[in-house]
Amino acid sequence: MAGVSMRPCGDFRTSYSGDTTIFDDAFSRNAVIVLVALAALAPLVFDGYWMNLLVTIGYLSIAALGLNILVGFTGQISIGHAVFFGFGAFSSVWLSNNFAIPVFFSIPLAGVMTAAVGLIFGVPAARIKGLYLAIATLAAQFILQDFFARAGWFTGGVAGSLAQPLTIFGFEFYDAETYFYIVLAYVVVMFLLATNLMRTRDGRALIAVRDHYLSAEIMGVNLTKYRIMSFGIASFYAGIGGALYAHHLKFVSVEAFTILFSIQFLGMIIIGGLGSIMGTLMGTAFMTLLPELMDWIARGLEGSFIDTALGLRGAINFMKEIAIGLAIILFLIFEPDGLAHRWRQIKAYWKLYPFSY
């Protein structure tokens, strides 16, 4: 009809190239650009406390994205991701402190060093899978933890290592407000690299290994190559995230990279959505901000009846920990596909409105 604007009701792909685009439509692309631009204005709005949280979300999301490539996209399992994060932190500090390499270059070099270590520990993935692979990665967790404690020449031993601040052309990114821009740049670059990886032949091969490795092998996918490669990629991302962490805190200690930290990384990608790049960032933000929210509620209820329930002074501290675990469990029960799936449903609802059924 003349004068009536018609728009497609649904999501139609008419070519293979259209199915491999980074963004579904122009609106999604423009929305991401606007969000990045708004994020760049964050130091002008938020104080040091919130900027530290944003920086933390940034470098943890990079490391968690590597784990999601390994677990969510390739179908491998790892419960030792924290030690690769730690290896990246120690590597960057070791390079900058002992070889006078500027921090600007030591961060990506730390990612390369961590990727090399990840390839070594990824060799068992060529022969084993499932629970046996999980045990192998658990062994990597304890092997590298022990290495961190004993290799004083590399990590400083139990005393830890001091990290230099990142400097570019004499300008020192010392506080969270300035360092945020470095982390934001790495987040944008690393997430774009991961998105493009999934559009390539290698990325599709990783997904094929996850979905049905026998069919993938019949089609000519080298299972050994891609299983080991996925560990290298995951370790590279962990190393970059760990290096950013080190130069943010200015100190790295062996006590930080425990098995609990590895489980938290798994929680980030499960809550955000396995096999979702955007979900990784959402899950990391959830896992980082939830304890802060519960701590704020606990401080508000301190000294109240809830705090002294059952005659236990300070009971709210226990309830805070319970609430965090309970929130995660309830989330996994009612939204097992993660935050990314919920976000896609919301987008689909408004895209198809009023025919959203």
Side-chain angles (χ1 to χ4, degrees):
M1 293 176 62
V4 177
S5 176
M6 303 295 291
R7 63 185 180 92
C9 182
D11 186 11
F12 301 98
R13 309 293 175 89
T14 58
S15 66
Y16 184 77
S17 60
D19 195 45
T20 58
T21 56
I22 295 179
F23 301 102
D24 293 334
D25 47 46
F27 176 80
S28 298
R29 181 189 66 243
N30 295 334
V32 170
I33 294 174
V34 170
L35 287 174
V36 172
L38 291 175
L41 300 176
L44 304 177
V45 179
F46 299 112
D47 58 15
Y49 169 78
W50 286 103
M51 292 311 303
N52 274 293
L53 284 178
L54 291 177
V55 169
T56 301
I57 292 172
Y59 60 68
L60 288 181
S61 66
I62 292 174
L65 180 57
L67 184 62
N68 210 346
I69 292 173
L70 176 65
V71 179
F73 286 99
T74 315
Q76 305 299 295
I77 185 65
S78 174
I79 51 178
H81 200 62
V83 289
F84 297 105
F85 182 84
F87 193 91
F90 283 120
S91 296
S92 185
V93 174
W94 180 67
L95 289 171
S96 59
N97 287 349
N98 294 277
F99 299 97
I101 297 176
V103 174
F104 182 83
F105 296 107
S106 72
I107 292 176
L109 287 175
V112 174
M113 290 178 62
T114 310
V117 174
L119 289 173
I120 295 173
F121 282 99
V123 170
R127 301 295 299 274
I128 58 179
K129 55 187 176 64
L131 180 61
Y132 300 99
L133 180 58
I135 297 301
T137 59
L138 180 64
Q141 169 78 35
F142 290 113
I143 290 172
L144 287 179
Q145 267 191 271
D146 188 67
F147 172 76
F148 293 159
R150 296 177 185 275
W153 58 271
F154 182 67
T155 65
V158 295
S161 298
L162 293 175
Q164 301 177 24
L166 189 148
T167 303
I168 299 179
F169 299 120
F171 181 81
E172 190 175 274
F173 295 81
Y174 192 83
D175 55 14
E177 286 81 0
T178 55
Y179 194 69
F180 170 77
Y181 291 107
I182 299 297
V183 175
L184 178 62
Y186 267 98
V187 167
V188 171
V189 171
M190 300 302 286
F191 272 71
L192 282 176
L193 286 176
T195 304
N196 277 291
L197 172 64
M198 293 304 117
R199 301 166 62 222
T200 64
R201 181 181 184 276
D202 289 333
R204 296 193 297 272
L206 294 176
I207 297 174
V209 172
R210 176 199 66 188
D211 290 342
H212 204 295
Y213 70 94
L214 289 178
S215 299
E217 189 173 25
I218 292 173
M219 291 188 296
V221 175
N222 188 325
L223 299 183
T224 300
K225 170 188 172 181
Y226 286 105
R227 282 173 174 169
I228 296 177
M229 186 179 76
S230 66
F231 272 90
I233 295 172
S235 300
F236 176 75
Y237 273 76
I240 294 292
L244 292 170
Y245 155 85
H247 297 288
H248 172 57
L249 293 187
K250 313 296 187 302
F251 178 75
V252 190
S253 174
V254 296
E255 288 84 6
F257 314 111
T258 62
I259 183 66
L260 178 60
F261 197 14
S262 293
I263 294 173
Q264 288 175 340
F265 274 122
L266 283 172
M268 292 173 192
I269 63 173
I270 292 172
I271 289 175
L274 291 174
S276 171
I277 293 175
M278 178 189 66
T280 302
L281 185 58
M282 299 170 71
T284 304
F286 181 90
M287 288 289 287
T288 304
L289 296 177
L290 180 61
E292 299 297 326
L293 173 63
M294 297 309 303
D295 187 62
W296 177 77
I297 295 174
R299 289 197 303 269
L301 296 176
E302 188 175 357
S304 65
F305 169 76
I306 298 178
D307 192 29
T308 58
L310 302 177
L312 297 174
R313 185 68 181 176
I316 190 65
N317 292 323
F318 297 99
M319 296 181 66
K320 178 181 70 174
E321 301 299 329
I322 293 173
I324 294 173
L326 183 62
I328 295 174
I329 292 173
L330 291 176
F331 190 90
L332 294 178
I333 291 174
F334 293 105
E335 195 58 78
D337 292 328
L339 287 169
H341 174 71
R342 176 57 55 184
W343 173 244
R344 286 192 293 267
Q345 287 186 319
I346 294 172
K347 284 177 60 179
Y349 175 87
W350 289 108
K351 188 172 185 178
L352 303 177
Y353 183 84
F355 307 104
S356 54
Y357 55 85

